Amino acid sequence: MSRYDIVLKGGTVVDPVNGRNGKTDIGIRNGKIEAVKEWIDTSEAEEYFDLTGMYVMPGIVDMHMHASERLGGRYAHKMLAKAGVTGALEMMGPVDSVLEYGRDYGTGLTVAVLDAVNKGYNVKSNNPGRSELEEALEYGLDRGSIGMKLMGGNFPLTPEATRLAIEAANERKAYISFHAATTETGSHIEGFHEAIRLAGDNHLHMAHINSYCRGMIRPYETETLEAVEALKSHPNIRSEAYLAAVNGNTAKCTDGIPIPVVCNCLRMHNYEPSEKGLEKAILEGWAQINMIEGGAVELRTGQRAVDYWKAHGTDAGISFCVNPALPRYWLATAKKDNGEFVVDAISTDGGGIPRNYILKYGLSLVKLQALTMEEFVMKASVNPGRIIGFANKGHLGEGADADITVFDYDRQEAFMSIGTGRVIMYRGIVCGSGCTIAAATKFGAGHVREYGLEPVMINVAESGLYKR
């Protein structure tokens, strides 16, 4: 019997948690890292890979992605795996849809899920009381979520209901994330400031900081500076930002009106915030429909995109090129006086939305010398893994989960990825299957098993959301 299931040979291992940056061999057995040495005999392995010229890092953890029927869809797992991701936080739900897609279309990722607060799903109005919010939270936890997401940009709650939701999640020590906006503000810098006030001393994951720095209220340079300074002075707020120029949302219209965030994007280019205005924006190229082509999702405009959108009853994904370059750069690199990053992680808000650029654009920052390679690994793997509560991921020490991303630095592409000891992507070909779901309660774990998926228990109270 071989000592190792897999041996990775000759790659440059970057593992800041264990202080490694150099050529090192890695031996994997039973889903764990068994050995990390200068040299491992390949005769001791069932299978080995020569990674000479490649970089090896702890598996990329995308702290904000979408892979459900509401957003992201069936191709999200495949698109994430091709981008080198091994772990992720799904930020909308519903949980059962995420479980179904993970079972049927999974590629070997480890996924934690947040259940969004939505009218008609788990609350009756945009002003639910404390008991209704607690019931919604418990419902999600019992089905396999680790907490809840407040979808202010899509379904804004009143400020009081928002405050109560954050408070309830903190008392339960459940995960809580917020796409900033309430019925009193919008998804912009003022909504961001309001979110911090509503959180008070409570812990909160503030989603996609760059989306509040688009120049909607003040010049985007000013808004970005405000966001950086606010995050510096509020260590109870965890955050991520993505590097893509495009955003992502739903083009669904109700009674001829798109959702608030899409209306904002239309106004930015002087389009009427209506279904008619949205159609014009698609035809003229400002709005890009997320169309399924060739087993993935691509951005398309023009009449063909309009026809696709209408054929789906307007319920299709949509993207706008609304993220200026300076906020994306600044939020990825800004640091506090103690050397910690202001924004904890590089995310994508992607999955089934075609902007899975953690590796592609993150390595551009390394080449620009805006980040060191170790800093990139911290933002792409270590920090997001800790915050979510993936306690045994984010490093390559002996005994760690064998979640590994191998990449070609020159091409800025994922070459290979391993999830819990199994090869899930090699040379751009996705070969993994299934999905491991991170659950926070025994009832949630039981519900995950009903879908034929294997759960892994995480302790959110001990995660980086609550403990630095």
Side-chain angles (χ1 to χ4, degrees):
M1 183 177 179
S2 299
R3 181 174 179 181
Y4 305 108
D5 300 324
I6 297 173
V7 165
L8 306 180
K9 289 286 296 181
T12 299
V13 173
V14 183
D15 178 13
V17 171
N18 292 296
R20 292 192 180 93
N21 188 343
K23 288 192 174 183
T24 311
D25 294 350
I26 298 176
I28 298 168
R29 182 175 174 80
N30 295 329
K32 304 289 184 181
I33 294 178
E34 180 81 7
V36 184
K37 301 178 180 179
E38 288 187 11
W39 186 84
I40 296 176
D41 188 345
T42 57
S43 68
E44 297 183 294
E46 288 285 337
E47 184 178 21
Y48 80 93
F49 296 86
D50 183 351
L51 301 180
T52 302
M54 298 293 168
Y55 279 80
V56 181
M57 64 176 280
I60 292 173
V61 177
D62 190 342
M63 200 170 151
H64 187 156
M65 68 87 173
H66 296 286
S68 77
E69 63 184 1
R70 283 191 192 145
L71 195 63
R74 61 183 287 187
Y75 296 104
H77 287 262
K78 177 181 177 182
M79 293 165 68
L80 287 162
K82 286 178 71 70
V85 173
T86 63
L89 179 60
E90 206 286 336
M91 290 272 273
M92 182 175 286
V95 182
D96 285 295
S97 175
V98 178
L99 298 182
E100 180 183 347
Y101 281 23
R103 178 195 64 199
D104 296 343
Y105 308 111
T107 56
L109 309 183
T110 297
V111 176
V113 188
L114 299 182
D115 214 16
V117 176
N118 266 306
K119 182 179 178 181
Y121 168 62
N122 51 13
V123 294
K124 297 176 182 177
S125 71
N126 64 2
N127 191 31
R130 174 65 182 261
S131 62
E132 188 177 2
L133 289 163
E134 289 174 345
E135 289 176 6
L137 175 59
E138 291 301 325
Y139 177 82
L141 291 171
D142 286 349
R143 304 191 82 75
S145 80
I146 65 169
M148 72 163 90
K149 168 82 175 291
L150 303 178
M151 295 292 296
N154 303 76
F155 176 60
L157 302 178
T158 64
E160 177 63 8
T162 301
R163 184 187 67 78
L164 289 173
I166 297 170
E167 182 181 275
N170 272 254
E171 290 188 12
R172 181 67 170 79
K173 287 296 187 288
Y175 205 98
I176 178 71
S177 179
F178 188 19
H179 176 163
T182 69
T183 55
E184 299 298 319
T185 61
S187 181
H188 47 57
I189 192 64
E190 293 300 343
F192 165 84
H193 288 307
E194 182 195 39
I196 291 178
R197 293 193 298 271
L198 292 172
D201 293 330
N202 288 304
H203 297 266
L204 178 67
H205 168 179
M206 193 87 78
H208 46 49
I209 300 301
N210 57 291
S211 68
Y212 315 122
C213 304
R214 294 171 174 158
M216 291 186 63
I217 305 298
R218 291 176 282 281
Y220 60 74
E221 299 92 338
T222 302
E223 293 178 347
T224 306
L225 177 61
E226 289 181 26
V228 167
E229 293 305 313
L231 290 171
K232 281 183 178 179
S233 59
H234 291 87
N236 57 310
I237 306 295
R238 290 296 203 174
S239 61
E240 29 85 10
Y242 60 85
L243 293 170
V246 297
N247 71 348
N249 224 295
T250 174
K252 186 175 182 179
C253 298
T254 303
D255 298 326
I257 303 297
I259 63 171
V261 170
V262 172
C263 287
N264 287 343
C265 294
L266 291 171
R267 292 188 186 100
M268 289 177 73
H269 266 227
N270 299 313
Y271 288 97
E272 179 183 297
S274 65
E275 186 172 337
K276 181 180 178 181
L278 183 52
E279 179 175 350
K280 184 179 180 183
I282 297 168
L283 286 170
E284 296 180 355
W286 171 237
Q288 303 176 73
I289 292 295
N290 297 184
M291 290 179 57
I292 297 171
E293 291 188 340
V297 181
E298 305 287 348
L299 300 179
R300 296 290 183 261
T301 61
Q303 188 60 54
R304 185 159 163 256
V306 168
D307 293 343
Y308 180 94
W309 172 58
K310 288 185 175 180
H312 288 77
T314 75
D315 192 7
I318 195 165
S319 297
F320 299 84
C321 192
V322 292
N323 297 308
L326 185 146
R328 288 182 281 145
Y329 171 87
W330 197 353
L331 293 169
T333 59
K335 291 182 180 179
K336 302 176 183 178
D337 292 340
N338 64 3
E340 292 182 357
F341 286 105
V342 173
V343 175
D344 298 288
I346 298 172
S347 64
T348 67
D349 197 2
I353 303 170
R355 53 180 179 183
N356 298 300
Y357 297 148
I358 290 176
L359 195 60
K360 182 176 181 179
Y361 291 172
L363 291 179
S364 291
L365 295 176
V366 176
K367 290 183 177 181
L368 192 61
Q369 298 182 4
L371 296 175
T372 66
M373 188 68 81
E374 289 86 353
E375 288 173 336
F376 166 70
V377 173
M378 289 296 295
K379 296 206 70 164
S381 176
V382 180
N383 288 353
R386 286 175 174 171
I387 293 168
I388 295 168
F390 292 155
N392 211 32
K393 303 183 188 297
H395 72 95
L396 299 176
E398 293 180 2
D401 290 346
D403 280 27
I404 298 169
T405 300
V406 180
F407 62 90
D408 184 323
Y409 179 65
D410 292 333
R411 299 179 67 179
Q412 298 176 218
E413 293 178 354
F415 176 81
M416 176 184 185
S417 53
I418 295 173
T420 55
R422 296 180 300 162
V423 177
I424 62 178
M425 187 277 291
Y426 184 67
R427 293 180 177 269
I429 304 300
V430 176
C431 47
S433 62
C435 183
T436 300
I437 299 292
T441 71
K442 64 178 182 180
F443 297 106
H447 189 70
V448 169
R449 291 190 183 97
E450 291 177 7
Y451 277 82
L453 297 171
E454 188 61 33
V456 59
M457 299 300 298
I458 65 172
N459 186 348
V460 177
E462 295 297 319
S463 73
L465 178 67
Y466 287 103
K467 294 187 175 182
R468 282 191 174 267

